[in-house]
Amino acid sequence: VPSPTEIVVTSENFKTVLHWQYPSISETPHFIVEIKPYSLGYYKNVSTCVNTSAHFCDVSEEICDPYISHWLRVKAVVGSQQSAYVEADEFILQRHGKIGPPKLNLSRHGDKIMVDIYHPE
């Protein structure tokens, strides 16, 4: 069974997602995702991404501390066979996460300009 490829973690506005690619095969592959927080020291299943057929996994709820290292890995399961795990690069939310720009609303009231600033979603 081939292993997943192109393992990438993206994070914008605290939504953190592991993405991967997988070749087309005759049977439907399922995937198991695990996370290893530095503080825990070992891998554990991401419960929402056990036997998923999607090629991504939202791990936002798994990252409680934005300052510590996390490692994520994924493997493919096809029938009774499985691939080796493939690990993503180290992920630290505070370092690798992106925050989008705020939304601005400008309006004029007589001789005044009002600026409303809204937090990113």
Side-chain angles (χ1 to χ4, degrees):
V1 173
S3 294
T5 59
E6 299 176 48
I7 316 302
V8 177
V9 182
T10 62
S11 183
E12 185 162 352
N13 298 335
F14 297 99
K15 182 176 175 70
T16 304
V17 181
L18 178 70
H19 304 265
W20 60 89
Q21 298 296 318
Y22 201 74
S24 294
I25 57 173
S26 56
E27 279 189 76
T28 303
H30 290 85
F31 302 95
I32 297 173
V33 175
E34 293 186 340
I35 188 168
K36 179 173 72 171
Y38 178 80
S39 54
L40 187 62
Y42 57 86
Y43 278 99
K44 63 175 186 157
N45 281 344
V46 175
S47 60
T48 55
C49 300
V50 173
N51 292 326
T52 182
S53 57
H55 291 200
F56 63 90
C57 175
D58 186 337
V59 295
S60 305
E61 298 297 317
E62 303 289 328
I63 298 179
C64 302
D65 186 336
Y67 300 102
I68 69 166
S69 298
H70 293 80
W71 291 270
L72 292 149
R73 66 184 186 178
V74 60
K75 73 176 175 181
V77 179
V78 179
S80 61
Q81 296 186 307
Q82 54 191 11
S83 73
Y85 276 103
V86 180
E87 190 175 79
D89 291 338
E90 174 189 31
F91 178 79
I92 302 169
L93 182 60
Q94 184 263 341
R95 184 181 302 161
H96 301 111
K98 306 276 187 261
I99 301 295
K103 295 196 182 340
L104 299 177
N105 187 26
L106 297 174
S107 55
R108 188 176 71 185
H109 299 279
D111 62 347
K112 295 182 180 154
I113 297 175
M114 298 290 291
V115 180
D116 293 312
I117 301 174
Y118 301 94
H119 290 291
E121 293 181 15

